[in-house]
Amino acid sequence: MNSGQVRSGLIIVDKPQGWTSHDVVGRLRRLAGTRKVGHAGTLDPMATGVLVVGINKATRLLTYIVGTTKTYEATIRLGQATVTDDAEGEVTTETIAAAVTDEEIRAAVANLTGDIQQVPSSVSAIKVNGERSYAKVRAGGEVNLPARPVTVSRFEVHDIRRENGGRLRDVDVTVDCSSGTYIRALARDLGAALGVGGHLTALRRTCVGPFSLEQASTLEELAEDLRVLDLDDAAADLFPVRSLSAAEAEDLSHGRRIGATGNGQPGPVAAIDPDGRVVGLLEDKGEQAKALLVFTPGNEKA
């Protein structure tokens, strides 16, 4: 696609290993020919998989995508703990995990499934006194983050095998979880529960909300064909849809209130005009619908 041709929408990227999410945003700014690009939820450089990127107006949808559920495929190594809870960090302890049985692993996994209290990884992007936690740790400081509630709706073991002459055990898993769940922390906590330490050696995000790897493109593919999911289609994929009359669309686009959706949906609803264009996002407040955001008509970048 010519860099001068930009439109609002989402790009579903299959992030390569070794790239930061910021690196991907920078690359897509050049490909799309616009500075107005952002992503919906960081993936660590070690991780690969689905990264949702917004272009122009669609960047305003990103805050709603960040809170959606995620699915990951991961490999957890038992017998070693690291400073970062993944393979990029220095090994801090090593314990022979040969005696840990498959049944013990599966039982510990079950205890980390459901609604749990999780202490985020110390190398997360959470701010502590205005400083990113990972920056403080990498500078040699100590961080004690409070536990917070997360939901691990699926923590499924696919394979358990012995490595390094049986001293270590690798566990391949799939995790469905709420926003804010750290898979590195699950690896750390699984190893701690088994008394041998643990860390993440591989991580691939396969789904973010309704978007999956099936829709994702590599950066090489995007350089050849910048596949953008149109803003109107993206909103309809992400949220329940309310079809507006022409009069309602006119009122909403000019900041005037309209009647409540009345569908009992607790979250945002995509308001779509008679031509199939998204006008904004709505949320019921009593007998009226509150506009969470309204897209400026006729201005591609607004």
Side-chain angles (χ1 to χ4, degrees):
M1 174 178 284
N2 185 294
S3 63
Q5 297 175 296
V6 293
R7 67 184 191 275
S8 296
L10 299 179
I11 300 176
I12 316 303
V13 182
D14 184 354
K15 189 189 84 67
Q17 192 170 41
W19 284 60
T20 67
S21 300
H22 183 72
D23 290 338
V24 173
V25 167
R27 177 68 170 140
L28 290 178
R29 280 176 176 155
R30 293 189 291 276
L31 291 176
T34 177
R35 294 290 302 170
K36 203 163 185 181
V37 179
H39 66 78
T42 300
L43 269 181
D44 292 333
M46 186 191 87
T48 66
V50 176
L51 183 69
V52 180
V53 176
I55 304 291
N56 289 328
K57 289 183 184 180
T59 55
R60 300 178 68 193
L61 292 178
L62 296 178
T63 185
Y64 300 96
I65 301 173
V66 168
T68 59
T69 57
K70 316 288 194 304
T71 299
Y72 297 89
E73 293 177 355
T75 299
I76 298 169
R77 174 154 291 180
L78 299 174
Q80 291 176 333
T82 72
V83 69
T84 58
D85 303 324
D86 64 18
E88 295 191 325
E90 180 184 350
V91 175
T92 55
T93 63
E94 186 161 350
T95 306
I96 296 175
V100 178
T101 67
D102 290 8
E103 292 73 20
E104 288 171 331
I105 293 171
R106 293 180 187 278
V109 163
N111 287 335
L112 290 169
T113 305
D115 295 328
I116 63 173
Q117 292 287 323
Q118 184 185 70
V119 176
S121 173
S122 61
V123 289
S124 68
I126 294 172
K127 285 189 175 181
V128 180
N129 297 325
E131 184 180 6
R132 298 288 185 187
S133 179
Y134 64 77
K136 197 167 185 177
V137 170
R138 287 168 182 165
E142 288 190 9
V143 173
N144 293 306
L145 298 172
R148 58 186 185 177
V150 298
T151 300
V152 179
S153 53
R154 176 188 179 198
F155 194 173
E156 183 178 352
V157 175
H158 299 295
D159 187 39
I160 304 172
R161 56 190 178 277
R162 298 186 183 277
E163 298 290 340
N164 195 20
R167 296 171 62 88
L168 307 174
R169 307 218 67 189
D170 278 3
V171 185
D172 294 334
V173 300
T174 297
V175 178
D176 294 339
C177 57
S178 63
S179 175
T181 305
Y182 286 88
I183 310 303
R184 281 177 295 162
L186 285 179
R188 175 202 67 202
D189 293 346
L190 180 64
L194 294 166
V196 294
H199 71 279
L200 204 61
T201 61
L203 183 65
R204 184 159 176 77
R205 189 156 68 190
T206 58
C207 288
V208 174
F211 306 119
S212 69
L213 281 172
E214 292 180 359
Q215 299 153 279
S217 302
T218 66
L219 291 174
E220 291 79 11
E221 290 168 339
L222 291 169
E224 296 294 325
D225 178 16
L226 192 62
R227 295 171 55 196
V228 180
L229 178 64
D230 187 78
L231 174 63
D232 303 323
D233 295 330
D237 284 347
L238 283 163
F239 310 104
V241 169
R242 174 177 173 176
S243 298
L244 303 179
S245 67
E248 287 174 329
E250 178 75 9
D251 285 342
L252 183 60
S253 67
H254 288 91
R256 294 189 288 268
R257 296 185 177 187
I258 62 175
T261 302
N263 62 1
Q265 291 286 345
V269 172
I272 307 294
D273 74 10
D275 295 324
R277 295 173 301 200
V278 60
V279 181
L281 298 183
L282 301 176
E283 185 176 54
D284 282 356
K285 291 293 182 182
E287 295 184 357
Q288 293 186 317
K290 175 186 177 183
L292 298 174
L293 67 86
V294 175
F295 295 107
T296 305
N299 184 345
E300 175 58 33
K301 295 184 180 182

